[in-house]
Amino acid sequence: MNNKTKLKRTLSFAPAYGAAVGLVVSGTAMFSVGNVAGTTGYSTFISAFIALIPMMMTAFAFGELTAMLPGGGMISDYTMPALGRFFAAFALLSGYVVLIAADGGTQLVMGGLSAEEICGIPQIAVTLTLFAIVFVINLLNVDFYGKVESVVTILMMITFAAFAIIGNLRVGEAMNIATPVGKDTSFLPEGGWKTIFGATGSAIWFFIGFEFACPMAEENKKPYKNIPYALILGLITIFLVDSLFATAAVRYTDLNELSTSTVPQTIAAKAILGRAGYIIMTILTIMASFTTANAYMASLPRMLYGLAKEGMVPAFFGKVNRRFRTPVFGIIFTGLLILSTTLYITINGADVSLVQGLINIACITWMISYGIAMIDVLVLRKKYPDFPRLWKAPCVKVSMIVGIVGVIFSIYTLRDSLLYAGICMAVVAAYILIWGKIKKIKLTEVTDIKDTVMNIRDRSEYLEVWDEAVDEWCKKYVDK
């Protein structure tokens, strides 16, 4: 192991965009689209648009923060100089460790269930095979997959979008392989606008995870440019694709089937394009499970890597394998999280209520970290108004407040899962307090942003433009 081994800057806009839209075709995202469509019918796009508002404000926040501090620690890097060590660790661990603990295995199980339906291979066998491949790819830093992942992800998104377009153009009807069942369904669902607004929290899951491009900032050639625009374009893409697919699904599929199935996307695809559609969507679900698990396995270890450099998690998370240049211990830890959830879901039958419950828990804790990111922007604007921001959030005082209010409302709509999410967050908070006491860390300490800059520069390769800008700022800062 060698702590001085640094991550390579090899990524461009395409991988950032691929990471931002990658979860649009995750197993649980497609599940949520189908599930919400079964609840809100033709008005699904309204719930999605309401959810898009706080998500776009969050994208503005992450865009500015990444441009300021392009480090692999992401939310912890941003929060340390804004709110201090406790909230930095809490935002990362509650938002992302809980997420991957709750959703990582769910993704792979969905892939396994789809494979079992189409070819009879036991779900657990497929799930564990997918897990093993993802684990090895990340542990050994398999360059081939890294180079084609963004292409694969975008092709998957195009395939999902194609189903949405085919369904809305009624191609299946023209081919006599699709029969509309929802053409007489009213625009407003049962319960009216209350149902539409009530589905906002679930619709958040359409978008959540778009910021997974940010932890790769240390490996991006121009993170201050590529990542903000990838986040914004990614959200718009997700909204359009998911809204169109939901509309097509409602036209051809019984709403009760959509709202009660563990894999509603495959049911909708079969209704839209017959047996061929079912097979294609099943394959897509398997691939989505794989790519999403890979995104988790790639991102969380790099967040822990950044947090380890700040002393907030054990130091071994900050070590990089000399040969493969990967954060090996973070990858092993992430793998254990995903594997544990996989086994738990399998043992409990992988029913729809269990899947939805885990998604809701992860969604709540994740949105808390989004709220913290938006607060970070406001605090850093006030504390360091002259710090170089190579990309800025527009109308920051309005956009961040709108985003925070939107996050609070979305969490309220998921209040049935709030107790379990609260327990998870309490466990994380207890760990941070105990760890801080053992290591004698001042958790209330708000670090100097210059220290964060130095840490990022020490652990990452030279970044053109940003390095020069912070050099100039540091000189003026010292003079003050």
Side-chain angles (χ1 to χ4, degrees):
M1 302 292 180
N2 181 5
N3 286 341
K4 295 299 181 182
T5 303
K6 297 181 178 181
L7 300 169
K8 295 180 181 180
R9 289 198 181 281
T10 59
L11 304 178
S12 58
F13 175 80
Y17 176 70
V21 301
L23 296 188
V24 70
V25 283
S26 72
T28 54
M30 291 190 291
F31 162 82
S32 292
V33 173
N35 187 266
V36 172
T39 303
T40 58
Y42 286 121
S43 57
T44 298
F45 78 95
I46 301 178
S47 296
F49 182 78
I50 296 170
L52 176 62
I53 295 172
M55 291 300 95
M56 188 60 73
M57 303 306 106
T58 305
F60 292 162
F62 276 108
E64 177 169 318
L65 293 168
T66 302
M68 289 179 67
L69 302 168
M74 200 183 66
I75 191 66
S76 62
D77 281 345
Y78 313 149
T79 308
M80 205 82 74
L83 302 176
R85 296 183 184 278
F86 175 83
F87 285 104
F90 181 81
L92 190 150
L93 297 177
S94 70
Y96 294 89
V97 173
V98 173
L99 155 75
I100 290 169
D103 187 54
T106 307
Q107 299 285 350
L108 293 177
V109 168
M110 283 191 170
L113 287 171
S114 297
E116 185 174 32
E117 283 189 16
I118 201 168
C119 60
I121 301 175
Q123 172 266 123
I124 189 63
V126 176
T127 300
L128 293 180
T129 299
L130 291 173
F131 169 80
I133 296 172
V134 166
F135 184 78
V136 170
I137 283 175
N138 282 274
L139 192 64
L140 304 185
N141 194 21
V142 178
D143 288 337
F144 172 75
Y145 183 72
K147 292 175 181 177
V148 302
E149 181 179 15
S150 60
V151 176
V152 171
T153 300
I154 291 173
L155 287 174
M156 289 167 57
M157 183 191 67
I158 291 172
T159 303
F160 190 63
F163 273 100
I165 294 170
I166 288 170
N168 282 279
L169 293 179
R170 307 180 185 182
V171 174
E173 288 183 56
M175 298 171 62
N176 294 318
I177 56 175
T179 302
V181 298
K183 61 181 180 179
D184 296 325
T185 301
S186 62
F187 178 75
L188 291 179
E190 184 178 350
W193 286 98
K194 182 178 180 181
T195 299
I196 293 172
F197 281 103
T200 299
S202 296
I204 285 283
W205 198 261
F206 295 8
F207 309 100
I208 210 162
F210 69 93
E211 81 287 0
F212 263 59
C214 298
M216 299 177 184
E218 291 184 25
E219 298 165 89
N220 198 286
K221 296 175 184 177
K222 295 182 179 180
Y224 49 81
K225 179 181 178 181
N226 293 329
I227 291 178
Y229 291 113
L231 299 179
I232 294 169
L233 184 59
L235 284 178
I236 294 171
T237 302
I238 292 168
F239 170 72
L240 293 174
V241 171
D242 284 356
S243 295
L244 287 172
F245 184 85
T247 300
V250 171
R251 179 174 177 81
Y252 294 103
T253 318
D254 179 76
L255 296 186
N256 185 60
E257 286 189 78
L258 288 174
S259 63
T260 58
S261 173
T262 309
V263 281
Q265 69 274 17
T266 61
I267 293 173
K270 184 176 182 180
I272 292 169
L273 205 57
R275 178 69 177 174
Y278 174 74
I279 294 172
I280 293 171
M281 184 58 76
T282 299
I283 294 172
L284 182 63
T285 301
I286 296 170
M287 293 177 64
S289 301
F290 177 81
T291 56
T292 304
N294 188 70
Y296 287 162
M297 197 77 77
S299 298
L300 180 59
R302 285 157 178 80
M303 296 181 199
L304 294 172
Y305 171 87
L307 205 57
K309 296 300 182 181
E310 299 290 345
M312 293 305 298
V313 295
F316 56 76
F317 283 118
K319 294 183 178 181
V320 175
N321 181 275
R322 181 191 297 271
R323 179 178 178 185
F324 301 112
R325 300 182 72 171
T326 56
V328 59
F329 291 108
I331 291 170
I332 292 172
F333 174 75
T334 304
L336 290 174
L337 283 179
I338 293 176
L339 184 60
S340 298
T341 313
T342 298
L343 296 176
Y344 173 77
I345 295 171
T346 301
I347 291 171
N348 286 277
D351 64 74
V352 66
S353 60
L354 177 59
V355 170
Q356 188 65 66
L358 288 170
I359 289 174
N360 289 347
I361 291 169
C363 194
I364 291 171
T365 60
W366 210 341
M367 283 192 284
I368 293 293
S369 72
Y370 284 178
I372 290 174
M374 287 183 274
I375 293 172
D376 288 344
V377 171
L378 294 172
V379 172
L380 293 176
R381 281 280 186 110
K382 185 175 182 179
K383 288 183 65 177
Y384 302 100
D386 299 326
F387 189 88
R389 292 169 172 83
L390 302 181
W391 193 91
K392 288 185 176 182
C395 305
V396 68
K397 290 183 179 179
V398 175
S399 60
M400 296 301 102
I401 297 302
V402 169
I404 292 168
V405 171
V407 162
I408 293 171
F409 174 73
S410 298
I411 290 174
Y412 172 76
T413 67
L414 300 175
R415 57 192 177 278
D416 289 345
S417 299
L418 192 55
L419 174 62
Y420 299 104
I423 292 172
C424 292
M425 289 186 283
V427 170
V428 170
Y431 159 77
I432 296 169
L433 292 172
I434 294 170
W435 179 261
K437 187 174 181 63
I438 292 173
K439 293 296 181 178
K440 298 180 179 179
I441 298 171
K442 295 181 179 179
L443 296 175
T444 57
E445 179 185 6
V446 178
T447 62
D448 193 310
I449 197 171
K450 186 178 178 182
D451 295 334
T452 305
V453 168
M454 293 302 106
N455 283 334
I456 292 173
R457 297 180 77 177
D458 180 62
R459 69 188 190 228
S460 60
E461 293 185 341
Y462 174 79
L463 178 56
E464 188 178 3
V465 180
W466 182 80
D467 268 300
E468 288 90 338
V470 295
D471 270 339
E472 186 66 26
W473 179 83
C474 287
K475 291 176 184 177
K476 294 178 181 178
Y477 189 64
V478 171
D479 291 339
K480 290 182 180 180

